[in-house]
């Protein structure tokens, strides 16, 4: 049971792509309403929407969203849940609405179908359906960035030509959903193009939801680019029978899993400052370098220049020149400092500082790269692409990567996929491990080049051997699951440990996967103690799946404990961290409940009673009362 969910998180999160600057919305307050309607009373039941919503909600929670979850909502429940969502949106920066279930259009307007819909008369439209525009209106009024994902348009008895007994006044019921214009700073995506019917899918998720799950957690992947990948994956899965549609008016970049811009190395920044001051023939400028890098690579040269500087009376014109050079050095220092601070604050300050620095040192590839990133951050994509191109022409491989991304997204330049590959391959040949890693992901996308997991693995391996921790995780994952290379759990262990060596990276995924191998004895001897310590460390960072894994390993006896109380401890922590979705994972399936020891179930009931949410019998039976108490506990 445990390894299934480690694999699920790996599948969702391991296809990484860390490349470009994303807007400040990525780290802001995020709220999502996730609704899955499957069990309709008068319309055909659907097998996947509840599961789709549960899985999407779990991932959004991992990505920092406050998730409000609705399952099999009646019309009244839908409106109440929408009100909760509306209240939660106040003061937020990003609002997301995901809906899976039946949907339809009437007279060009889109409606979502609650589970108790009958729609026997035209007057029932407002009293039984939920207008999608109502959801958009609530979001428009309360949050800046709006994302709406609708996995609907399945066949139902209200579709044109279906066998239905609906009042003749409903005369304009058309196939699928109607196209929808996105309001300001809004992205709207449908699982299929307007006027078409989506598939529920034969797998555990619908084709659209499965594609979202596959791509939504990719680090630093802009949502517009994500939707292109989602579209391609759905088309491949349905043999082009279903083509997702999207419309966006977003004015900035947004990534669900923003992990920051790849920072310049300290050595690169030191070199840039040294280049700015070494030929100025001014001891004061040299001291600017020494103050910042007292034990730097060029300290000896700097001290020698100061010692050799002639002592002479400073004329007025020379003083003015010196003040001008000091000002120029400050531009360079400020530009480098802004990059070091992660471009925090007002973008125009960084743009001004770096503009002055580049004007004084037009052949500095480092300064042009930083200036380009500052311009990109400020929204001036055309000027940013120009700086990236000039820096790349000066040989800067990080700029080549930035320009490759610009061509791939059409940011400030015309979209050119071939140019993306050319620049990445050039940067990779010159040793840029980030470019190597990106090429590894591109060969898994089956978009710019034909899918080839073996070629992908080779690029990941080269990047990992060059010290790229994210690529090391991808190599480990490939070895663990036999993707592009022969399955080898011993080598998977090694590369997960390499990924853990980078203290600047998010290590929780590597911890969980390595713990799984150590606890189960795959790839070497069992080491439950080390596995336990890894999961404890990940759990201490608030990782819900680490808590779940601890609970499962204590429950199945992999980790020793005299009673089931420790397993219950971690189960309750996971539920408190993951909310209702985690509670459903543990207890919504009656057959699964029967596999738990009676002592475990009774202790869960005891904990619920101690929390003041359960007053029933401590009998180990997870019935309706216990389940409602678990949900109440999860939502406290």
């Amino acid at each position: 049971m445990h390894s299934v969910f480690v694999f699920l998180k790996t599948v969702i999160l391991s296809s990484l792509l860390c490349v470009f600057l994303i807007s400040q919305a990525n780290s802001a307050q995020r709220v999502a309403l996730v609704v899955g309607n499957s069990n309709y009373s008068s319309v055909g039941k659907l097998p996947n929407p509840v599961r789709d919503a549960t899985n999407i909600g779990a991932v959004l929670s991992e990505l920092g969203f406050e998730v409000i979850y609705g399952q099999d909502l009646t019309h009244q429940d839908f409106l109440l849940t929408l009100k909760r969502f509306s209240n939660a949106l106040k003061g937020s920066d990003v609002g997301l609405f995901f809906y899976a279930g039946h949907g339809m259009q009437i007279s060009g307007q889109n409606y979502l179908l609650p589970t108790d819909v009958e729609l026997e008369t035209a007057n029932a439209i407002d009293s039984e359906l939920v207008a999608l525009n109502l959801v958009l209106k609530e979001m428009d009024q309360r949050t800046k960035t709006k994302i709406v994902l609708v996995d609907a348009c399945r066949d139902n008895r209200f579709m044109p030509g279906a066998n239905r007994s609906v009042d003749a006044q409903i005369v304009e019921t058309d196939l699928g959903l109607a196209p929808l214009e996105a309001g300001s700073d809004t992205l709207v995506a449908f699982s299929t193009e307007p006027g078409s019917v989506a598939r529920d899918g034969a797998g555990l998720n619908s084709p659209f939801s499965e594609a979202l799950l596959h791509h939504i957690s990719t680090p630093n992947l802009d949502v517009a680019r994500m939707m292109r990948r989602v579209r391609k994956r759905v088309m491949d899965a349905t043999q082009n029978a279903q083509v997702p549609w999207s419309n966006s008016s977003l004015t900035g970049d947004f990534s669900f899993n923003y992990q920051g811009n790849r920072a310049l190395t300290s050595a690169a920044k030191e070199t840039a400052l040294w280049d700015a001051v070494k030929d100025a023939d001014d001891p004061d400028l040299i001291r600017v370098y020494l103050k910042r890098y007292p034990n730097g690579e060029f300290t000896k040269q700097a001290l020698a220049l100061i010692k050799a500087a002639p002592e002479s009376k400073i004329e007025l014109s020379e003083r003015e020149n010196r003040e001008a050079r000091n000002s120029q050095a400050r531009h360079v220092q400020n530009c480098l400092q802004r990059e070091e601070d992660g471009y925090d604050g007002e973008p125009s300050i960084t743009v001004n500082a770096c503009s002055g620095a580049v004007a004084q040192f037009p052949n500095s590839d480092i300064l042009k790269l930083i200036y380009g990133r500052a311009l990109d951050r400020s929204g001036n994509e055309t000027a940013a692409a120009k700086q990236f191109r000039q820096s790349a022409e000066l040989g800067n491989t990080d700029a080549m990567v930035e320009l490759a991304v610009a061509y791939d997204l059409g940011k400030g330049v015309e979209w050119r996929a071939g140019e993306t590959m050319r620049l990445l391959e050039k940067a990779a040949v010159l040793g840029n491990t980030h470019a190597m890693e990106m090429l590894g992901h591109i060969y898994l996308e089956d978009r710019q080049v034909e899918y080839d997991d073996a070629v992908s693995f080779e690029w990941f391996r080269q990047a990992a051997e060059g010290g790229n921790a994210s690529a090391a995780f991808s190599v480990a994952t490939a070895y663990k699951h036999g993707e592009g290379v022969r399955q080898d759990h011993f080598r998977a262990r090694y590369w997960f440990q390499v990924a853990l060596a980078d203290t600047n990276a998010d290590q929780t995924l590597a911890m969980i996967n390595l713990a799984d191998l150590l606890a189960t004895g795959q790839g070497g001897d069992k080491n439950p103690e080390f596995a336990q310590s890894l999961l404890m460390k990940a759990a201490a960072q608030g990782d819900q799946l680490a808590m779940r894994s601890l609970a499962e390993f204590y429950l199945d006896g992999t980790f020793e404990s005299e009673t089931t109380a420790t397993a219950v401890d971690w189960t309750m922590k996971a539920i408190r961290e993951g909310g209702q979705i985690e509670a459903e994972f543990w207890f919504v399936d009656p057959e699964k409940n029967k596999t738990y020891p009676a002592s475990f179930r009774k202790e869960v009931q005891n904990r619920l009673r101690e929390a003041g949410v359960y007053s029933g019998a401590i009998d180990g039976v997870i019935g309706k009362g216990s389940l409602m108490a678990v949900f109440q506990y999860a939502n406290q």
Side-chain angles (χ1 to χ4, degrees):
M1 175 174 66
H2 167 78
S3 59
V4 171
F5 289 95
V6 171
F7 176 69
L8 173 61
K9 188 173 182 183
T10 300
V11 168
I12 293 172
L13 297 178
S14 65
S15 179
L16 307 178
L17 185 63
C18 306
V19 264
F20 51 90
L21 271 139
I22 308 296
S23 72
Q24 291 178 339
N26 295 294
S27 59
Q29 183 179 351
R30 302 167 162 196
V31 181
L33 172 58
V34 177
V35 177
N37 282 354
S38 288
N39 296 311
Y40 287 88
S41 57
S42 62
V43 189
K45 293 185 178 181
L46 298 169
N48 287 332
V50 167
R51 188 183 304 113
D52 291 338
T54 298
N55 292 344
I56 291 289
V59 175
L60 290 175
S61 180
E62 284 279 315
L63 295 173
F65 279 82
E66 174 190 344
V67 178
I68 297 170
Y69 181 71
Q71 173 182 327
D72 290 332
L73 298 179
T74 63
H75 184 263
Q76 182 179 2
D77 289 340
F78 211 136
L79 294 181
L80 289 173
T81 305
L82 182 58
K83 185 176 181 180
R84 285 180 56 206
F85 178 49
S86 179
N87 290 334
L89 282 175
K90 294 176 182 177
S92 68
D93 296 281
V94 182
L96 181 144
F97 174 65
F98 173 85
Y99 173 80
H102 281 307
M104 62 188 296
Q105 61 165 305
I106 300 175
S107 302
Q109 295 297 312
N110 295 315
Y111 294 90
L112 310 176
L113 275 59
T115 55
D116 59 349
V117 62
E118 296 288 343
L119 205 61
E120 298 297 337
T121 68
N123 293 331
I125 293 176
D126 291 333
S127 62
E128 294 188 13
L129 304 182
V130 175
L132 183 55
N133 278 336
L134 175 63
V135 180
L136 285 168
K137 181 179 179 181
E138 293 296 321
M139 297 175 73
D140 277 336
Q141 293 175 348
R142 289 169 173 79
T143 192
K144 180 180 184 296
T145 302
K146 285 83 64 178
I147 298 174
V148 177
L149 307 172
V150 181
D151 192 359
C153 320
R154 277 98 162 179
D155 285 311
N156 64 69
R157 73 183 183 91
F158 301 123
M159 289 293 187
N163 181 19
R164 56 191 175 96
S165 57
V166 181
D167 191 293
Q169 294 180 68
I170 304 178
V171 293
E172 296 186 44
T173 304
D174 298 315
L175 192 67
L177 295 180
L180 187 65
E181 288 296 323
S184 63
D185 278 308
T186 302
L187 180 140
V188 178
F190 293 162
S191 57
T192 190
E193 56 193 343
S196 299
V197 177
R199 300 185 176 190
D200 201 54
L204 293 176
N205 298 105
S206 75
F208 183 66
S209 291
E210 188 278 333
L212 285 174
L213 288 167
H214 188 83
H215 291 299
I216 198 169
S217 295
T218 303
N220 292 338
L221 180 62
D222 182 71
V223 67
R225 190 179 189 195
M226 184 196 80
M227 288 311 305
R228 293 210 298 269
R229 295 189 186 184
V230 167
R231 184 179 301 114
K232 178 66 166 58
R233 190 172 180 88
V234 172
M235 291 172 66
D236 289 345
T238 63
Q239 291 75 53
N240 297 324
Q242 181 176 329
V243 182
W245 172 91
S246 61
N247 185 18
S248 174
S249 64
L250 295 179
T251 57
D253 297 329
F254 175 80
S255 168
F256 284 95
N257 187 16
Y258 177 59
Q259 293 189 358
N261 200 69
R262 198 168 81 105
L264 295 173
T265 64
S266 178
K269 288 182 283 189
E270 181 184 354
T271 300
L273 183 57
W274 176 246
D275 288 341
V277 303
K278 65 180 181 180
D279 297 321
D281 193 26
D282 189 331
D284 289 342
L285 293 183
I286 304 299
R287 290 187 181 95
V288 170
Y289 168 82
L290 288 173
K291 182 178 180 181
R292 187 179 180 91
Y293 300 104
N295 299 303
E297 181 181 353
F298 308 104
T299 298
K300 288 184 178 180
Q301 294 97 308
L303 292 172
L305 285 174
I306 291 175
K307 185 177 181 179
E311 294 184 10
S312 60
K313 184 177 179 181
I314 301 175
E315 300 295 334
L316 178 61
S317 59
E318 185 178 349
R319 182 182 298 113
E320 291 173 345
N321 288 335
R322 177 175 293 185
E323 289 173 354
R325 290 195 296 270
N326 268 309
S327 176
Q328 294 156 6
R330 281 194 295 271
H331 276 307
V332 175
Q333 189 174 17
N334 290 340
C335 182
L336 294 171
Q337 187 62 50
R338 299 290 292 180
E339 191 277 340
E340 191 172 286
D341 294 341
Y343 303 91
D344 289 339
E346 176 58 43
S348 62
I349 298 176
T350 310
V351 169
N352 291 336
C354 294
S355 175
V358 168
Q360 183 62 29
F361 303 100
N363 293 322
S364 171
D365 59 298
I366 296 293
L367 292 177
K368 284 184 177 294
L369 171 64
I370 299 174
Y371 185 29
R373 287 175 171 174
L375 288 165
D376 191 28
R377 182 79 170 180
S378 71
N380 194 340
E381 295 175 351
T382 301
K386 180 180 178 180
Q387 293 300 319
F388 291 148
R389 182 181 293 106
Q390 292 177 1
S391 179
E393 289 171 352
L394 290 168
N396 190 292
T397 58
D398 286 333
M400 294 175 194
V401 172
E402 296 282 5
L403 189 58
V405 172
Y407 276 115
D408 186 43
L409 296 177
K411 291 180 57 176
V413 293
E414 183 180 350
W415 181 83
R416 287 165 62 184
E419 191 67 4
T420 296
M421 291 297 294
R422 184 190 72 81
L423 286 163
L424 289 179
E425 288 172 349
K426 182 178 180 180
V429 168
L430 293 172
N432 189 297
T433 63
H434 196 48
M436 298 173 194
E437 184 194 12
M438 287 182 64
L439 287 167
H441 291 295
I442 286 175
Y443 276 97
L444 292 179
E445 291 177 5
D446 192 21
R447 182 169 58 89
Q448 297 187 30
V449 294
E450 185 177 350
Y451 176 89
D452 193 325
D453 57 2
V455 174
S456 170
F457 173 79
E458 282 303 310
W459 280 118
F460 284 140
R461 183 186 60 78
Q462 290 184 44
E465 290 178 350
N468 187 308
S470 178
F473 178 83
S474 296
V475 170
T477 302
Y479 273 125
K480 184 179 181 183
H481 302 296
E483 299 167 344
V485 67
R486 181 178 60 84
Q487 189 176 52
D488 190 328
H489 289 138
F490 177 80
R491 285 186 168 85
R493 284 191 182 197
Y494 169 78
W495 283 108
F496 279 132
Q497 291 182 73
V498 171
L500 285 175
D502 186 351
T503 57
N504 294 319
D506 182 359
Q507 299 178 326
T508 55
L509 278 175
M511 291 177 191
I512 294 171
N513 279 274
L514 179 58
D516 180 52
L517 296 174
L518 293 167
T520 56
Q522 299 177 79
D525 294 336
K526 285 187 177 182
N527 192 338
E529 293 79 12
F530 188 19
Q532 182 183 24
S533 68
L534 288 170
L535 291 175
M536 292 283 284
K537 186 175 181 180
Q541 297 177 30
D543 192 283
Q544 169 193 341
L545 288 189
M547 298 175 190
R548 180 191 295 181
S549 296
L550 283 163
E552 290 174 329
F553 280 139
Y554 276 115
L555 194 58
D556 67 16
T558 301
F559 296 163
E560 293 183 1
S561 179
E562 294 182 359
T563 68
T564 58
T566 307
V568 176
D569 286 341
W570 286 109
T571 301
M572 304 306 282
K573 288 178 181 178
I575 291 173
R576 182 56 60 83
E577 184 69 28
Q580 184 169 328
I581 294 171
E582 183 71 12
E584 290 182 356
F585 164 78
W586 283 98
F587 298 113
V588 79
D589 184 352
E591 295 303 314
K592 185 178 179 180
N593 289 336
K594 295 177 183 177
T595 66
Y596 301 143
S599 58
F600 174 84
R601 288 172 287 167
K602 289 180 179 179
E603 184 59 25
V604 168
Q605 290 175 323
N606 263 322
R607 301 296 179 86
L608 294 172
R609 176 175 288 181
E610 291 171 359
V613 296
Y614 180 67
S615 59
I618 308 299
D619 54 8
V621 177
I622 307 297
K624 183 177 180 179
S626 297
L627 190 59
M628 291 302 100
V630 171
F631 289 161
Q632 186 176 347
Y633 177 84
N635 292 322
Q636 281 184 336

